């Protein structure tokens, strides 16, 4: 076989993926990973030959992605979130750009309120992206950052990420807020991207999602609302008197989640915020927790 330049490999992979109705951009992400190169290194090396064993391994991964829909993040083992690299695997939901918007709303809310010494909790942390990013971005404003997950294997990844990124987060295993209730912890800010997809929608979901992201992170009963119902019920026991809740939601769930919050906390101010694509994506609620348990 004649030598293949990096440029030729990239060109082959992009059109192969395009013909298979996959994202051509995956070609570039994978080649950088395969060659351990940054974007700048890739650009300046395009005319260089690729070692034949490297090309074979690259080609096999491109073909596997095209055929099965395995997410590129499962092939590289990482994803960028809020400019930081997080380790991911099949035990955690792959970070989505929509969740960066959730985190950004949380940061802006805290800054606007001029709060200090906050206690925050990320419920169903998965790879840890929300808790870790908030801990690092908010710095001293946050006194305590907690994160929970029911999945031990997800928590292993989250703890690994917190270690690599040097983020002060305390992780607990358990169902949504149960571990905080058990420990008698109170929180000022509750952030969560819980499972919110109704199983009935599985037919419309991409194979890259439905066959590879953990079911536990995707689906919820009661039309995808059960996680919100459970978390809010539990929140009565852990929220401070003046607290903020931020949820990522499915684009058709704004009204339903608003109703659940209003019926759980009678004194609450709820806003539904749109994502960059103009879809309802975040619920931001300021709540007065008058419940005394
Ligand atoms: N936003 C994800 C998706 O639609 C779902 C994650 C979730 O249910 N929290 O793929």
């Amino acid at each position: 076989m004649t030598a293949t330049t990096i440029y030729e490999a990239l060109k082959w992979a992009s059109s192969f993926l395009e013909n298979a109705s996959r994202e051509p951009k995956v070609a570039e992400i994978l080649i950088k990973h395969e060659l351990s190169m940054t974007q700048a290194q890739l650009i300046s090396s395009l005319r260089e030959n690729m070692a034949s064993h490297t090309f074979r391994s690259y080609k096999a991964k491109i073909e596997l992605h095209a055929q099965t829909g395995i997410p590129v993040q499962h092939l590289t083992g990482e994803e960028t979130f809020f400019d930081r690299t997080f380790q991911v695997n099949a035990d955690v939901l792959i970070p989505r750009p929509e969740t960066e918007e959730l985190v950004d709303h949380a940061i802006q809310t805290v800054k606007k309120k001029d709060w200090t010494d906050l206690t925050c909790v990320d419920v169903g942390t998965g790879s840890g992206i929300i808790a870790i990013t908030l801990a690092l971005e908010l710095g001293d404003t946050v006194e305590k950052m907690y994160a929970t997950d029911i999945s031990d294997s997800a928590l292993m990844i989250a703890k690994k990420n917190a270690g690599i990124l040097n983020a002060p987060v305390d992780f607990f295993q358990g169902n949504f807020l149960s571990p905080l209730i058990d420990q008698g912890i109170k929180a000022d800010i509750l952030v969560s991207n819980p499972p919110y997809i109704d199983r009935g929608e599985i037919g419309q979901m991409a194979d890259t999602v439905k066959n590879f992201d953990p079911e536990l992170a995707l689906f919820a009963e009661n039309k995808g609302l059960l996680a919100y119902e459970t978390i809010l019920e539990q929140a009565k026991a852990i929220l401070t008197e003046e607290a903020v809740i931020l949820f990522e939601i499915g684009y058709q769930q704004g009204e339903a989640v608003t109703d659940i919050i209003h019926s759980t906390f009678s004194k609450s101010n709820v806003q539904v915020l749109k994502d960059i694509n103009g879809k309802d994506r975040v619920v931001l609620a300021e709540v007065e927790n008058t419940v005394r348990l």
Side-chain angles (χ1 to χ4, degrees), residues 106-156:
I107 294 167
Q108 300 314 325
T109 306
V110 169
K111 287 193 172 157
K112 230 186 275 167
K113 286 193 174 285
D114 217 10
W115 274 346
T116 52
D117 301 330
L118 291 173
T119 299
C120 306
V121 56
D122 169 19
V123 187
T125 195
S127 59
I129 49 168
I130 297 176
I132 292 169
T133 307
L134 286 178
L136 295 175
E137 294 293 323
L138 292 171
D140 288 348
T141 313
V142 173
E143 185 170 336
K144 265 304 191 187
M145 175 63 70
Y146 297 102
T148 73
D149 208 290
I150 198 163
S151 157
D152 278 314
S153 46
L155 282 174
M156 268 174 60

Side-chain angles (χ1 to χ4, degrees), residues 217-260:
L218 292 176
F219 300 109
E221 302 302 312
N222 295 359
K223 300 198 173 81
L225 297 170
L226 185 62
Y228 302 113
E229 291 165 349
T230 312
I231 294 169
L232 286 164
E233 195 48 43
Q234 293 177 326
K236 291 187 212 164
I238 69 107
L239 288 184
T240 51
E241 250 175 76
E242 191 193 341
V244 170
I245 301 170
L246 289 117
F247 282 134
E248 180 171 320
I249 57 159
Y251 72 102
Q252 292 167 314
Q253 294 174 322
E255 218 177 284
V257 174
T258 302
D259 287 348
I260 306 168

Side-chain angles (χ1 to χ4, degrees), residues 191-204:
V191 188
S192 183
N193 172 22
Y196 57 67
I197 300 174
D198 175 9
R199 246 169 235 282
E201 283 170 35
I202 200 160
Q204 291 105 267

Side-chain angles (χ1 to χ4, degrees), residues 200-215:
E201 283 170 35
I202 200 160
Q204 291 105 267
M205 290 167 69
D207 55 358
T208 44
V209 176
K210 68 180 175 199
N211 298 339
F212 294 96
D213 276 314
E215 284 205 8

